[in-house]
Amino acid sequence: MPDWTLPEQFHAFAESAGRDGGSTYAAICHGVADDPLVLALMGEAPRAQRRPNLLMAAVHFLLLGGTDHPLSAHYDTVYPPQEDGRRPDGTNVAVVFADFCRCHHDALLPLMTTRSTQTNEVGRCAGLLPALCHIAAGAERDQPLSLLDLGTSAGLNLLFDEFSYLYRQRSDGSVLGAGPSTSDVAIEATVRNDLSKLPTLVVPAVAERVGLDLSPLDPTSEDDARWLEACLWPDNLPRFNRLRAALAVARATSHPPRLERGDLVDDLARVAGTIDPTGPLVVLHTWVAAYLTPERQRALVDEVQTLAGSRLVHHLYAESPHEVPGLEAPPSSESAQRSDFVTALVHSGPNGAVPVRLADMHPHGRWIRWWP
Ligand SMILES: C[S@@+](CC[C@H](N)C(=O)[O-])C[C@H]1O[C@@H](n2cnc3c(N)ncnc32)[C@H](O)[C@@H]1O
């Protein structure tokens, strides 16, 4: 939306938040779209980051850090909702938000000028788990997989084997579990077709876990963890709490992923070169390629194929087909549905085989349809 004015961006963000059940941000963004102080604050952000979600995250970050202001009463993540579901006073949340920006302008400014919005959605593991089981069940069955996650954020999805999974068949409610059932990170997904279509869910052994990101976040850093939390919406507590639980897993794990800083195209070969070449390598990425131009998306595919010339490589990605014209995503009947934003889970490999659409899934893994 490069040509949109800031007020137009706020209204558009409010509309999309509202459609997705984010009533707090919808009310705030419609309400402050013409507020001169809020717009001036937005103007301080670097052009590429000048988006309403950056200001929303900056404010949320301060509230999560304990900044005292009446706005906190409107954020479920700071103040759990009252039992009757109503906010403590009948005030207009946008007015309170604008007041927060006035009172805490000096604390917001450095966040607006230096931060970028970033998420790490472990719900996507609802697709990664069966895909990795599918890959592990192939020719290299007995060899542990090495994982290289491009655009890894805090590397949380590289800990997919420390989460518990429950797949529920939509038609009759029957369920299938996987992973350590005692995990505090519980991933639940509705299966839109038949549970029996999923691969056998034997969690594969992992040799190495490496993440690459332009701006990797350290889950053991209180500041980085709070920024990740702040980038989520304040009225989606299940998603927020799951992120918190995943961050706790990342802090406690005995095999933390190695996170590297760099560009996923330019630095792919360098980072892959640090991973033991004797076993299969899965180069994976989820909701990242949309950040690249179609030319860079094609360059990414070329880089993976070049890598496959020297070792056993699988390419696995969960991306929105509409946003990644440079990546091949064989069509499916699910793509015809316009009401749901469909993510295609695609596997190519080993070594440059024709890409196969393994599944369609919700962007955060709420549902999946596995294609046999
Ligand atoms: C939407 S987040 C997705 C994070 C994670 N893959 C997930 O599914 O939760 C996109 C991530 O890609 C990273 N990123 C964007 N462009 C990149 C690039 N050219 N090279 C490396 N990382 C990039 C961002 O820093 C961010 O952490």
Side-chain angles (χ1 to χ4, degrees):
M1 45 186 184
D3 297 333
W4 288 11
T5 63
L6 280 176
E8 284 170 340
Q9 283 197 45
F10 271 102
H11 286 302
F13 182 67
E15 293 296 329
S16 82
R19 273 195 302 274
D20 205 24
S23 57
T24 308
Y25 279 179
I28 290 173
C29 290
H30 275 314
V32 302
D34 298 307
D35 186 297
L37 182 123
V38 168
L39 297 183
L41 201 49
M42 287 291 295
E44 299 290 342
R47 184 163 287 280
Q49 279 298 319
R50 210 169 288 160
R51 294 190 298 258
N53 13 356
L54 179 66
L55 179 60
M56 298 301 121
V59 169
H60 197 188
F61 181 80
L62 293 182
L63 289 173
L64 289 171
T67 299
D68 188 25
H69 188 275
L71 182 62
S72 60
H74 295 264
Y75 279 50
D76 294 349
T77 47
V78 185
Y79 252 91
Q82 291 182 324
E83 275 184 11
D84 63 3
R86 285 192 301 116
R87 283 292 153 203
D89 54 18
T91 50
N92 179 336
V93 64
V95 172
V96 188
F97 182 91
D99 183 68
F100 183 98
C101 293
R102 268 177 203 91
C103 296
H104 297 287
H105 177 273
D106 291 353
L108 287 170
L109 204 53
L111 297 171
M112 294 299 291
T113 51
T114 60
R115 303 281 178 136
S116 57
T117 52
Q118 221 170 344
T119 52
N120 202 176
E121 180 48 63
V122 292
R124 294 180 185 138
C125 291
L128 289 182
L129 173 72
L132 292 171
C133 290
H134 168 79
I135 291 172
E140 321 89 31
R141 184 177 190 106
D142 296 330
Q143 282 184 290
L145 306 175
S146 285
L147 306 179
L148 172 52
D149 183 21
L150 309 179
T152 195
S153 192
L156 299 180
N157 290 343
L158 287 164
L159 297 170
F160 74 100
D161 49 349
E162 299 207 29
F163 308 152
S164 81
Y165 296 83
L166 193 71
Y167 295 90
R168 190 181 305 278
Q169 187 166 308
R170 185 167 63 172
S171 58
D172 64 5
S174 54
V175 295
L176 180 66
S181 57
T182 52
S183 174
D184 288 333
V185 181
I187 300 198
E188 288 196 30
T190 302
V191 177
R192 286 195 161 177
N193 50 349
D194 203 317
L195 269 182
S196 64
K197 306 279 188 213
L198 286 173
T200 306
L201 298 180
V202 177
V203 178
V206 177
E208 286 184 66
R209 304 161 203 261
V210 182
L212 173 62
D213 201 287
L214 279 181
S215 173
L217 292 173
D218 176 1
T220 67
S221 147
E222 199 264 328
D223 185 86
D224 280 5
R226 176 148 58 99
W227 182 251
L228 263 184
E229 291 170 7
C231 289
L232 298 187
W233 296 356
D235 46 12
N236 187 342
L237 271 182
R239 190 179 179 208
F240 183 84
N241 288 335
R242 190 168 64 182
L243 171 65
R244 275 211 163 152
L247 286 164
V249 167
R251 284 191 288 270
T253 185
S254 57
H255 42 257
R258 171 161 57 88
L259 302 189
E260 299 272 353
R261 184 179 298 272
D263 179 84
L264 62 86
V265 178
D266 298 338
D267 296 296
L268 174 58
R270 171 182 67 78
V271 175
T274 64
I275 300 172
D276 180 0
T278 54
L281 172 67
V282 183
V283 176
L284 66 98
H285 46 94
T286 58
W287 278 88
V288 176
Y291 288 74
L292 311 179
T293 62
E295 292 70 35
R296 293 292 280 172
Q297 292 163 7
R298 281 188 281 276
L300 168 61
V301 175
D302 289 345
E303 278 298 308
V304 177
Q305 284 176 354
T306 303
L307 192 60
S310 59
R311 60 178 302 164
L312 190 58
V313 173
H314 294 262
H315 191 184
L316 174 68
Y317 46 92
E319 303 280 358
S320 160
H322 301 291
E323 300 187 54
V324 293
L327 296 181
E328 210 174 319
S332 80
S333 57
E334 202 83 43
S335 9
Q337 295 187 8
R338 301 192 68 88
S339 57
D340 260 320
F341 207 25
V342 173
T343 302
L345 186 64
V346 177
H347 170 228
S348 167
N351 294 14
V354 179
V356 173
R357 188 157 176 150
L358 296 179
D360 291 304
M361 59 186 280
H362 178 271
H364 298 162
R366 283 187 220 146
W367 60 261
I368 187 166
R369 183 191 295 271
W370 191 268
W371 300 109

